[in-house]
Amino acid sequence: MSFDRLAPRYHTLEAMVFGNALQRARIAWLHKLSRPRRVLIVGEGNGCFLSALLDKFPEAQVDCVDASAQMLHLAHQRLVQRKPAAEGQVRFFCDDILHWEADSAGYDLVVTHFVLDCFRRHDLVTVVDKIAGLAAPQAVWLLADFHVSQGALARAHAHIWLAAMYLFFRLTTGIKARHLVSPTPLLKGQAFYRIHRRHWWGGLIKSEVWRRSA
């Protein structure tokens, strides 16, 4: 799986299809956070969230893990252009989260925006377990992703969009997932509980805040 081919055009494609809805979902809860000291961002992409995070919390130490070298290049460029003083606070790791070997743990904020939907169920279990293992005892987990609502019309709407998106991303990035797997029971199994949630696009897009029990 690699988003390298899409990286130069990803921002334009996102804006054409969803307007600013995905970015709104990414940054929806920044104002609710206490000041994070150590942040792990998985699947940061082109750096839009990272930039907003450092605007809000300029002293945060951030590790970004992404399997796409081109996406990380764009994120680094954005950081240098917009937040040059913070360059030393951010480490970029080009690796699949399934294989990445962290050199430390204890992140008090972990972020997975529009990345967990790329994994098949058994891989998603591994990813959530791994990230949870790197999180501090009272960590906050920000999660933005796609969602299937309960209403019949909303479910039909979601299934049409998701089928089209999974086909597109299988062809262009090689993702192996073919349908959306909810991470909710996996986060609960790691002692996280949801404290905030918001939806856009008739429920297709969600943004959530989870906190680990003490």
Side-chain angles (χ1 to χ4, degrees):
M1 176 180 71
S2 174
F3 279 70
D4 282 351
R5 288 174 56 194
L6 284 183
R9 297 176 292 277
Y10 187 85
H11 181 74
T12 301
L13 288 171
E14 178 180 307
M16 288 174 59
V17 177
F18 294 107
N20 68 345
L22 300 194
Q23 182 65 2
R24 289 170 63 195
R26 293 183 186 104
I27 66 174
W29 305 110
L30 284 179
H31 68 290
K32 291 285 188 179
L33 299 180
S34 299
R35 183 177 300 170
R37 295 174 295 104
R38 298 190 63 232
V39 183
L40 172 63
I41 306 176
V42 179
E44 165 56 15
N46 59 18
C48 289
F49 174 78
L50 175 63
S51 180
L53 175 75
L54 291 172
D55 281 339
K56 183 69 174 176
F57 304 109
E59 297 179 358
Q61 300 290 321
V62 186
D63 287 347
C64 292
V65 182
D66 198 296
S68 169
Q70 289 300 315
M71 283 292 197
L72 287 182
H73 175 68
L74 293 173
H76 183 254
Q77 279 189 323
R78 184 185 296 269
L79 176 65
V80 170
Q81 292 169 0
R82 302 191 180 188
K83 289 286 181 181
E87 188 177 4
Q89 298 166 224
V90 182
R91 299 191 300 173
F92 295 99
F93 299 91
C94 184
D95 207 345
D96 188 323
I97 187 60
L98 286 166
H99 307 130
W100 179 58
E101 295 293 337
D103 57 15
S104 62
Y107 296 99
D108 53 341
L109 175 64
V110 297
V111 182
T112 55
H113 287 158
F114 302 101
V115 64
L116 298 184
D117 57 344
C118 295
F119 295 99
R120 295 172 295 181
R121 183 178 298 277
H122 65 279
D123 288 332
L124 183 60
V125 171
T126 302
V127 169
V128 171
D129 287 353
K130 185 170 191 174
I131 295 173
L134 297 172
Q138 294 181 302
V140 170
W141 190 319
L142 293 186
L143 187 160
D145 223 325
F146 296 101
H147 174 70
V148 178
S149 296
Q150 293 303 310
L153 186 58
R155 286 180 67 84
H157 172 257
H159 285 310
I160 292 170
W161 272 99
L162 289 169
M165 286 190 292
Y166 274 109
L167 176 60
F168 174 77
F169 285 111
R170 281 203 310 275
L171 294 175
T172 56
T173 71
I175 67 169
K176 295 180 180 178
R178 293 181 174 269
H179 62 274
L180 185 65
V181 179
S182 173
T184 294
L186 303 178
L187 268 69
K188 289 181 177 178
Q190 293 291 339
F192 283 87
Y193 62 97
R194 188 172 54 225
I195 56 176
H196 299 293
R197 177 167 63 179
R198 186 176 175 188
H199 292 103
W200 291 265
W201 265 59
L204 179 63
I205 300 166
K206 71 177 181 181
S207 181
E208 300 176 336
V209 185
W210 293 74
R211 186 184 297 277
R212 176 170 266 170
S213 302

